[in-house]
């Protein structure tokens, strides 16, 4: 049903008995990690690799929580090769669009 996120992972990390808490946790991930990652382009423009590394590193656990393992791997690749990672950021930005859409669908589907 989902390309990048995993319902099973979300329920595994957040439990399946409190839909409000799941919604809240997903909203926090959207408001912090996803928002931070969407801003990476400006840090590439400025050559601020320290901030890129910090934001990628900080987002990795959240990607595991929502089951976005492919995206977590992309973040690890960016961290491992910062100076040459701009093309990977393009891929990351595409993944983020998909994740936002999928999380939105998931949240509206939980009772």
């Amino acid at each position: 049903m989902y390309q990048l996120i995993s319902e099973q992972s979300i329920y595994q990390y957040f439990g399946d008995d409190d839909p409000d808490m799941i919604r809240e946790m997903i909203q926090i991930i959207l408001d912090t990690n996803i928002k931070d990652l969407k801003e990476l382009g400006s840090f590439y423009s400025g050559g601020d690799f320290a901030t890129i590394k910090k934001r990628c590193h900080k987002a990795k656990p959240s990607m595991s929580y929502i089951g976005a393992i492919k995206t977590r791997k992309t973040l690890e690749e960016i961290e491992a090769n910062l100076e040459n990672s701009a093309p990977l950021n393009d891929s990351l930005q595409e993944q983020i669009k998909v994740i936002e859409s999928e999380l939105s669908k998931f949240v509206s589907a939980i009772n």
Side-chain angles (χ1 to χ4, degrees):
M1 185 170 165
Y2 297 109
Q3 234 181 300
L4 293 174
I5 70 167
S6 160
E7 255 180 288
Q8 193 178 356
S9 292
I10 293 170
Y11 288 129
Q12 179 185 336
Y13 281 102
F14 301 130
D16 57 5
D17 55 344
D18 189 348
D20 289 336
M21 197 266 297
I22 294 171
R23 274 190 211 92
E24 207 173 299
M25 296 308 293
I26 288 174
Q27 195 56 52
I28 290 168
I29 290 170
L30 288 167
D31 293 345
T32 57
N33 302 118
I34 298 294
K35 180 182 168 289
D36 283 354
L37 293 176
K38 285 169 82 172
E39 297 169 351
L40 288 182
S42 61
F43 297 108
Y44 276 101
S45 302
D48 185 352
F49 294 109
T51 299
I52 293 167
K53 183 177 176 89
K54 193 185 306 174
R55 288 188 176 200
C56 288
H57 188 77
K58 188 177 135 197
K60 286 190 304 187
S62 296
M63 294 306 113
S64 294
Y65 300 153
I66 61 171
I69 302 310
K70 177 182 179 185
T71 306
R72 183 186 166 102
K73 284 193 171 88
T74 302
L75 293 171
E76 289 169 356
E77 289 174 39
I78 290 172
E79 268 191 295
N81 192 5
L82 279 170
E83 283 77 11
N84 303 307
S85 62
L88 280 171
N89 184 51
D90 296 340
S91 168
L92 177 66
Q93 297 307 316
E94 290 303 313
Q95 291 175 43
I96 286 170
K97 287 178 192 159
V98 172
I99 288 171
E100 282 183 308
S101 165
E102 291 182 352
L103 286 176
S104 168
K105 279 184 211 151
F106 174 79
V107 166
S108 62
I110 57 176
N111 301 330

